[in-house]
Amino acid sequence: MHFGSVPTVGVDALTPADFLLDVREDDEWEAGHAEGALHIPMSDFVARYAELTEKAPEGGKVYVLCRVGGRSAQVTQYLVQQGVDAVNVEGGMQSWEAAGRPVVTDQGGAGTVI
């Protein structure tokens, strides 16, 4: 799949201060996610877009994650078209986990990427 000129970064470029948007489905989120990420599934994204605009930092970057990077690239492309400074996270949550970044559940315990 080619998404044109979608801005992309690797997990290693992310800092704890970055705003993360997880677009995976509910079961994936519940199994494990990045702490502090905003969760809006890609399937609900357009309907729930206002949640992102409320929570995202004014004028800041939005780093978009899915499992491996395909869904997040599509959402990133959509956000860029809306004028949002959005960046796709290459390799998604699989790269996040592989890089040793914490994966948690809603209860705060150790999570897993499915």
Side-chain angles (χ1 to χ4, degrees):
M1 274 187 240
H2 184 65
F3 298 103
S5 58
V6 173
T8 303
V9 296
V11 167
D12 56 349
L14 299 175
T15 72
D18 290 329
F19 183 84
L20 303 175
L21 170 65
D22 190 322
V23 297
R24 298 174 301 149
E25 295 304 311
D26 289 338
D27 60 331
E28 294 173 284
W29 170 265
E30 286 160 15
H33 54 266
E35 194 168 10
L38 174 64
H39 178 228
I40 305 176
M42 183 174 155
S43 57
D44 296 342
F45 192 76
V46 175
R48 293 175 58 190
Y49 179 70
E51 288 177 47
L52 173 67
T53 57
E54 280 169 29
K55 303 233 168 77
E58 188 83 27
K61 274 194 195 314
V62 174
Y63 292 89
V64 189
L65 287 155
C66 66
R67 189 166 68 91
V68 294
R71 287 171 288 180
S72 55
Q74 293 174 59
V75 172
T76 299
Q77 193 167 46
Y78 173 80
L79 289 172
V80 168
Q81 288 166 354
Q82 308 308 308
V84 175
D85 187 5
V87 182
N88 184 34
V89 178
E90 193 171 27
M93 284 301 296
Q94 286 188 337
S95 289
W96 176 274
E97 187 177 48
R101 301 282 181 116
V103 177
V104 298
T105 64
D106 281 336
Q107 295 72 37
T112 186
V113 176
I114 61 168

